Amino acid sequence: MTSTTAVDELTGEDVHAVANDEWQGTGGDEPPSPDDYAKNPAALLRCKFVQAQVAFNAIASFVGPLATFYLLFGYASQGPYEWNSAPLVGVVVGSLAGSPLLIFALMPVGMPEAVERRWFLRLRSANCPPWLVRVLPYLNDNPRCWRWATARLLVLGFIIGVVYVPIALLIARYALGPTLSTWTLIWFNVVYEVCLAVPVTALGLLGYAMEPNLDWTISRMSTDPRTVRRLMSRCLASIQMIIWPSCDDEEAEEAQK
């Protein structure tokens, strides 16, 4: 395995050479080509699949929470609300786990086609800056624990929360509070969800792009020629990968058959 301390960034040819030596495959006869790899995380974030998912989830995180929070905090209960009350703090903290899990619950469904069209590329630890691997430990492609999507997403939520939670509470207390009206609370929570969805989607997809994780994810996606059955099977497999950490190599090979 190429060491990140020895190589900061691999060229396309280097990546292909490593892939030919180490690739174990998940149903294909040929290893990935150099064009299937992102040269660095920034190149991956420019992929069509990543950009489309960021835009979609930002919009969904506006529409869905707006209706939900209105029903919860504008209809089922009424303000005003204190800046440190459960309707505000609960959303700010709870979304750090809820948002990543909801966003990525069905994300893998379209990954096989995105990878095939090179709208979503593979990523190796050797192509990630060492400081980024330290900040996002799931960019280390060695530990098997990072194959479980939930582990990656909960760690990501915690990391983002270190920055987001203090800022959100300070804004609620000193810019909007200490007492918030019903609609002030609703709009605060909605904007928070949108601002959270962008880094969660982008940084979460970095974890999915790590080669062992991507190979494992694609191996679980059905290739049934019947569209409806393929879609239903993929949705079920995506939810299963969130619920429990089943990441055995033999099971992955069996799932692809």
Side-chain angles (χ1 to χ4, degrees):
M1 182 66 81
T2 302
S3 171
T4 56
T5 59
V7 180
D8 290 334
E9 182 173 336
L10 295 177
T11 64
E13 291 75 9
D14 292 333
V15 168
H16 195 214
V18 173
N20 280 323
D21 291 339
E22 300 180 358
W23 184 75
Q24 297 178 353
T26 55
D29 294 327
E30 296 294 334
S33 72
D35 293 335
D36 293 324
Y37 290 86
K39 293 182 179 180
N40 50 58
L44 178 67
L45 295 178
R46 292 193 294 268
C47 291
K48 292 181 180 180
F49 182 76
V50 177
Q51 294 180 347
Q53 290 296 332
V54 169
F56 172 80
N57 285 299
I59 295 172
S61 295
F62 175 85
V63 177
L66 179 60
T68 302
F69 294 146
Y70 170 73
L71 292 176
L72 290 176
F73 309 132
Y75 181 78
S77 62
Q78 293 289 331
Y81 298 95
E82 294 300 317
W83 71 275
N84 57 353
S85 61
L88 190 148
V89 178
V91 170
V92 168
V93 176
S95 295
L96 299 176
S99 180
L101 294 177
L102 288 175
I103 285 174
F104 285 95
L106 298 177
M107 182 82 73
V109 171
M111 283 187 180
E113 288 74 21
V115 172
E116 181 180 356
R117 294 176 173 84
R118 291 174 179 162
W119 293 351
F120 189 54
L121 302 176
R122 299 170 183 271
L123 186 64
R124 285 177 172 267
S125 290
N127 286 352
C128 298
W131 67 266
L132 186 59
V133 177
R134 288 192 289 268
V135 173
L136 302 176
Y138 55 77
L139 295 184
N140 186 331
D141 55 14
N142 289 323
R144 291 172 58 86
C145 64
W146 297 128
R147 291 195 196 175
W148 188 25
T150 300
R152 301 195 304 268
L153 297 176
L154 292 179
V155 168
L156 175 60
F158 175 80
I159 294 170
I160 294 177
V162 171
V163 177
Y164 269 47
V165 171
I167 294 176
L169 295 181
L170 286 173
I171 292 175
R173 170 63 178 86
Y174 294 105
L176 303 176
T179 301
L180 288 73
S181 67
T182 297
W183 275 105
T184 300
L185 174 75
I186 292 173
W187 283 116
F188 174 84
N189 286 342
V190 169
V191 171
Y192 176 81
E193 294 293 343
V194 174
C195 293
L196 183 62
V198 174
V200 162
T201 305
L203 299 180
L205 281 171
L206 290 181
Y208 273 89
M210 298 305 296
E211 190 166 33
N213 302 335
L214 186 58
D215 286 342
W216 164 248
T217 299
I218 293 178
S219 76
R220 298 301 305 273
M221 297 294 103
S222 171
T223 57
D224 194 305
R226 292 166 290 188
T227 303
V228 175
R229 186 166 181 175
R230 181 175 69 249
L231 178 61
M232 296 301 295
S233 177
R234 288 187 180 185
C235 289
L236 179 60
S238 297
I239 295 173
Q240 287 176 338
M241 287 190 290
I242 289 289
I243 295 175
W244 62 75
S246 176
C247 56
D248 182 77
D249 291 333
E250 294 181 0
E251 182 181 346
E253 294 175 2
E254 184 66 24
Q256 184 66 18
K257 293 180 181 180

